[in-house]
């Protein structure tokens, strides 16, 4: 289950808490119930975030040497930081992604999406298939992020390759050869981030001005380039695919009887790009009646919690605006709740609003495929043609 959890959220036979070994025999406590997942996320003293970025497949010596050759370090900054400096780091990042600054990007993004959809529509009209992931969703979040947060001067393709390599290296089941190749990719871009952390402006400059050392700046940029754009790219692709199978929702969007914001929230609930997250028990405790010794690895099954009948009326149905739709935990909860939630929502709202007319007239040629991964779905392509 652990590495295909995104495909098993509708299975009704899971207990609230279960002990599950991974492919290496390491046991994890998998938590499925909404109330229990939220309890863990909002209690950082009992359940620490220290293991959030630990490699799921232990990195072998050869790959570690590659990382060391690039002077790779990833100190606690955001997702895996339970220390006293977390609120100060988070405050600087949150200011860079303030809702007012995010909203100011909406007109520019709307224009760009319309331009792309015009080109996509022309190709579809000519009978040509189109990959909506590559042509619409893949780089949009990165382009928006670059307007909000000054980023290193690197090609878009290089940043995307680095982000996906990082998601695979730290969260996928891998063999040693693949780990070594990914370590080289991640290490090369880490070097770019390290140089930018010393001289760059924008967020990097703000973190330095607040007294944070270069390692912290690198860590914040590293995580932003993964969680701040790659996950949103994934969500846009997954949501567009889901909507092609929801004709009533598309009709409601076109008629104005279904709210775009409600569609985005229901999409986050049923098609989240992040399906699990991890915590580690700091002390001996109990959870859902189960004993949890200190040091236990806890896997929070966010996607399944979003389908908890105790939290939402129709758990497996795409019903925008239904009771409980907004109670999903796609952005986490508590002190480590995603600081970019409003950015992701804005981007998704623009894409849904602008793409809805097109989606009603297409047929799917190739559905998005997602590789094995503990946490991220990472769809690779979504090919459609005019019906």
């Amino acid at each position: 289950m652990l590495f295909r959890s995104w495909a098993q959220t509708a299975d009704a036979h899971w207990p609230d808490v279960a002990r599950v070994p991974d492919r290496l025999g390491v046991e994890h406590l998998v938590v499925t119930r909404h109330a229990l997942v939220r309890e863990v996320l909002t209690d950082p003293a009992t359940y620490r975030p220290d293991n959030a970025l630990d490699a799921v497949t232990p990195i072998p010596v050869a790959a570690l040497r590659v990382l060391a050759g690039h002077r790779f370090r990833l100190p606690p900054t955001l997702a895996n930081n339970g220390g006293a400096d977390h609120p100060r780091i988070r405050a600087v990042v949150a200011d860079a992604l303030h809702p007012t600054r995010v909203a100011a990007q909406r007109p520019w993004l709307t224009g760009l999406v319309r331009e792309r959809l015009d080109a996509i529509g022309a190709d579809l009209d000519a009978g040509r298939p189109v990959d909506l992931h590559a042509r619409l969703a893949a780089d949009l979040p990165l382009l928006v992020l670059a307007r909000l947060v000054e980023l290193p001067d690197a090609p878009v393709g290089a940043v995307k390759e680095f982000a996906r390599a990082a998601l695979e290296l730290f969260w996928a089941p891998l063999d040693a050869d693949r780990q070594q190749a990914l370590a080289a990719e991640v290490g090369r871009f880490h070097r770019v981030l390290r140089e930018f952390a010393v001289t760059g402006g924008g967020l990097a400059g703000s973190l330095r001005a607040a007294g944070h050392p270069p390692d912290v700046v690198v860590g914040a940029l590293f995580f932003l380039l993964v969680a701040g754009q790659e996950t949103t790219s994934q969500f846009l692709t997954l949501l567009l695919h889901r909507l092609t199978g929801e004709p009533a929702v598309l009709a409601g969007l076109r008629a104005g009887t279904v709210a775009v914001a409600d569609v985005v929230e229901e999409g986050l609930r049923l098609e989240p790009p992040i399906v699990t997250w991890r915590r580690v028990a700091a002390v001996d405790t109990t959870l859902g009646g189960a004993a949890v010794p200190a040091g236990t690895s806890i896997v929070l099954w966010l996607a399944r919690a979003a389908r908890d009948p105790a939290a939402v009326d129709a758990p497996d149905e795409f019903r925008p605006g239904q009771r409980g739709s907004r109670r999903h935990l796609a952005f986490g909860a508590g002190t480590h709740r995603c600081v970019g939630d409003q950015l992701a929502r804005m981007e998704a709202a623009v894409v849904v609003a602008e793409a809805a007319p097109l989606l009603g007239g297409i047929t799917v040629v190739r559905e998005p495929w997602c590789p094995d991964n503990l946490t991220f779905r990472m769809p690779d392509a979504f090919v459609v043609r005019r019906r």
Side-chain angles (χ1 to χ4, degrees):
M1 184 285 301
L2 282 181
F3 294 107
R4 303 294 289 181
S5 56
W6 51 267
Q8 300 183 34
T9 49
D11 180 351
H13 303 296
W14 275 85
D16 296 355
V17 178
R19 298 189 183 280
V20 179
D22 62 23
R23 70 191 189 109
L24 300 177
V26 178
E27 190 173 83
H28 306 267
L29 193 70
V30 177
V31 185
T32 68
R33 185 64 63 185
H34 184 280
L36 296 179
V37 171
R38 185 173 180 82
E39 177 183 336
V40 172
L41 288 171
T42 55
D43 184 359
T46 304
Y47 307 101
R48 291 184 58 83
D50 304 25
N51 65 339
L53 306 187
D54 288 355
V56 173
T57 304
I59 300 178
V61 172
L64 288 173
R65 285 179 179 147
V66 172
L67 291 172
H70 290 283
R71 293 170 50 202
F72 179 91
R73 285 190 72 244
L74 199 60
T77 51
L78 291 170
N80 62 337
N81 190 348
D85 61 343
H86 174 255
R88 294 193 305 114
I89 299 169
R90 181 183 173 88
V92 177
V93 178
D95 185 61
L97 303 179
H98 191 277
T100 302
R101 301 191 70 220
V102 167
Q105 301 303 317
R106 190 175 192 125
W108 171 84
L109 179 61
T110 300
L112 178 58
V113 170
R114 288 176 179 173
E115 179 182 312
R116 291 188 173 188
L117 287 171
D118 285 344
I120 288 169
D123 279 347
L124 292 172
D125 290 343
R128 291 187 287 270
V130 173
D131 181 352
L132 291 181
H133 174 72
R135 293 280 298 276
L136 181 60
D139 65 344
L140 276 181
L142 177 59
L143 297 177
V144 179
L145 186 64
R147 290 171 63 90
L148 289 167
V149 179
E150 186 175 333
L151 296 175
D153 184 15
V156 168
V159 179
K160 298 295 292 185
E161 288 174 9
F162 149 73
R164 290 181 73 91
L167 294 183
E168 190 178 351
L169 179 61
F170 291 103
W171 284 278
L174 301 166
D175 61 35
D177 288 344
R178 183 60 179 163
Q179 285 174 304
Q180 194 163 340
L182 292 168
E185 178 73 30
V186 170
R188 280 194 296 269
F189 201 82
H190 186 273
R191 186 187 296 268
V192 174
L193 292 180
R194 196 166 62 250
E195 293 170 355
F196 183 76
V198 178
T199 60
L203 176 61
S206 297
L207 286 166
R208 290 198 310 272
H212 298 293
D215 272 357
V216 167
V217 180
V218 171
L221 291 171
F222 186 101
F223 192 70
L224 264 185
L225 287 175
V226 173
Q229 61 87 24
E230 184 60 34
T231 53
T232 308
S233 297
Q234 295 172 27
F235 175 55
L236 295 178
T237 299
L238 295 166
L239 180 54
L240 290 171
H241 175 243
R242 179 64 185 242
L243 288 175
T244 60
E246 302 288 346
V249 174
L250 288 175
L253 282 168
R254 292 192 296 270
T257 57
V258 173
V260 170
D262 288 342
V263 171
V264 171
E265 295 305 320
E266 193 72 336
L268 287 164
R269 186 180 74 82
L270 285 174
E271 300 292 342
I274 299 176
V275 289
T276 70
W277 204 244
R278 284 176 291 169
R279 288 289 185 267
V280 60
V283 296
D284 293 342
T285 186
T286 59
L287 183 65
V292 184
T296 298
S297 167
I298 301 171
V299 176
L300 303 172
W301 198 349
L302 306 178
R304 185 164 180 86
R307 295 175 184 247
D308 187 339
V312 64
D313 282 344
D316 299 321
E317 298 179 25
F318 198 103
R319 293 188 185 178
Q322 69 167 308
R323 184 196 69 85
S325 179
R326 293 172 179 262
R327 293 186 65 195
H328 62 77
L329 298 167
F331 297 113
T335 57
H336 284 82
R337 179 181 172 82
C338 175
V339 295
D341 58 341
Q342 295 307 307
L343 175 59
R345 285 184 165 109
M346 185 275 286
E347 293 166 341
V350 168
V351 170
V352 167
E354 299 300 327
L358 177 142
L359 294 176
I362 60 176
T363 186
V364 177
V365 175
R366 183 186 183 283
E367 296 185 348
W369 176 80
C370 302
D372 287 356
N373 196 286
L374 174 66
T375 292
F376 300 94
R377 290 177 67 180
M378 299 177 64
D380 62 339
F382 175 34
V383 182
V384 301
R385 68 167 63 249
R386 186 73 77 192
R387 186 174 302 149

